[in-house]
Amino acid sequence: MSDRSQDFFVEEQSAGVSFLLKVRRWLERCRTVYQDLIIAETPLGRLLALDGKVMLTEADEAFYHEMLVHPPLISHTAPRSVLVIGGGDGGTVREVLKHPTVSSVTWVEIDRQVLDACRRWLPKIGGRAWNDPRVRLTISAGEDWLLQIKERYDVILVDGSDPVGPSKALFEVAFFESCRAALADSGILALQCGSPFYFTEEVQSVWNKLNLLFPFVRLYLGFVPTYPSGLWSYAMASFKDINLSEGKVRRRIRERNLDRLQYYSAEIHQASQILPPFVERLIGCSDC
């Protein structure tokens, strides 16, 4: 490993557009069974990258994890059983465990080496996730694991990277069908679906596939500074309408003691679902 001050991490975020971050020290650089793994010290804290793509920095990871987790869990009356697929850094499970109604979290991650590296170098990201007795961790491909289970979950969160490599299967119709089958009647599925500025086909694909399978689908947006364009999209899908008033969102946040987060709030919950016209045109929805 090198600790040369002139070292940099460079991610090509889109054709001809790159993100460059100075590396103070390389902590881990290896090839796992599935992907290239990097953890490094940077001016934004520790960085996790997989296959050359930023998964998180300590400075802004909460922006992503809070927006993946809290909109769907707040939209559920009382989430008790939660399934997390992916999310080897532990941040998604950490946020799930903040909801006092949650009694069990099933965590399915394909890459044990990512888990081990994150637990070693990024322990604060996972926080309680690494030792909480409510968490059951399984090493498996999520798409394969779902075909074998009979449980039904209140919320399913898919925390995968871009639809390439080991995460590609997590964006296919067959996988979404398996998620639908694993949801309780009042259940909610949520996942990230990329930048609507750069990754238009990814956003359109997720939107169209979910609308084939669920009567209610909501696209919502958040800001993650180190992700391509900074503007990030997520989707929620359910069997029942999950549109809540700001007052109800505010009450649930207060009841669950979630009013001191870094990014998510009742106002953000509502505002995140107001889509700019270019996003509405992208998904062909003028009243989303």
Side-chain angles (χ1 to χ4, degrees), residues 25-234:
R25 184 163 65 109
W26 300 100
L27 300 173
E28 185 124 7
R29 285 190 287 182
C30 68
R31 176 73 189 176
T32 77
V33 174
Y34 299 98
Q35 54 207 331
D36 292 322
L37 165 68
I38 289 175
I39 299 178
E41 293 276 10
T42 79
L44 297 178
R46 292 186 175 182
L47 158 83
L48 169 66
L50 297 175
D51 284 338
K53 305 295 183 182
V54 174
M55 296 295 105
L56 65 84
T57 71
E58 289 180 314
D60 66 353
E61 56 85 15
F63 291 33
Y64 168 76
H65 288 125
E66 290 181 9
M67 287 303 288
L68 176 63
V69 172
H70 298 305
L73 267 73
I74 285 291
S75 297
H76 195 285
T77 305
R80 292 181 172 83
S81 59
V82 178
L83 169 62
V84 175
I85 296 177
D89 54 76
T92 291
V93 176
R94 178 200 72 210
E95 293 300 314
V96 169
L97 292 170
K98 292 179 180 179
H99 289 255
T101 60
V102 171
S103 58
S104 67
V105 181
T106 302
W107 183 9
V108 181
E109 163 63 42
I110 192 172
D111 198 330
R112 182 182 294 276
Q113 289 170 269
V114 170
L115 288 163
D116 292 343
C118 289
R119 189 165 190 173
R120 179 184 181 190
W121 297 111
L122 297 164
K124 292 181 181 178
I125 302 298
R128 294 170 61 185
W130 302 117
N131 299 301
D132 195 292
R134 291 172 290 174
V135 178
R136 181 182 67 187
L137 175 60
T138 299
I139 309 300
S140 175
E143 66 275 14
D144 296 335
W145 184 87
L146 272 174
L147 297 175
Q148 305 169 25
I149 58 103
K150 296 182 180 179
E151 291 91 340
R152 296 294 178 267
Y153 297 94
D154 293 322
V155 178
I156 298 176
L157 302 172
V158 183
D159 185 8
S161 55
D162 296 337
V164 295
S167 289
K168 184 176 181 180
L170 304 184
F171 291 83
E172 300 295 339
V173 170
F175 174 73
F176 293 144
E177 288 176 333
S178 295
C179 290
R180 181 181 64 176
L183 280 173
D185 291 342
S186 60
I188 300 171
L189 167 67
L191 68 153
Q192 69 85 19
C193 41
S195 164
F197 184 75
Y198 285 133
F199 308 148
T200 56
E201 292 183 1
E202 179 180 334
V203 176
Q204 288 173 326
S205 176
V206 170
W207 175 259
N208 291 334
K209 290 171 183 176
L210 291 179
N211 274 280
L212 288 174
L213 301 172
F214 292 91
F216 297 97
V217 182
R218 307 285 298 188
L219 192 77
Y220 63 102
L221 304 175
F223 174 63
V224 187
T226 55
Y227 283 6
S229 81
L231 182 66
W232 212 246
S233 66
Y234 311 79

Side-chain angles (χ1 to χ4, degrees), residues 247-263:
K248 183 170 286 189
V249 172
R250 192 181 303 279
R251 283 194 299 275
R252 290 183 180 178
I253 288 175
R254 184 174 61 251
E255 291 166 356
R256 301 181 197 182
N257 296 315
L258 296 171
D259 51 1
R260 301 189 70 178
L261 300 174
Q262 292 192 52
Y263 187 90

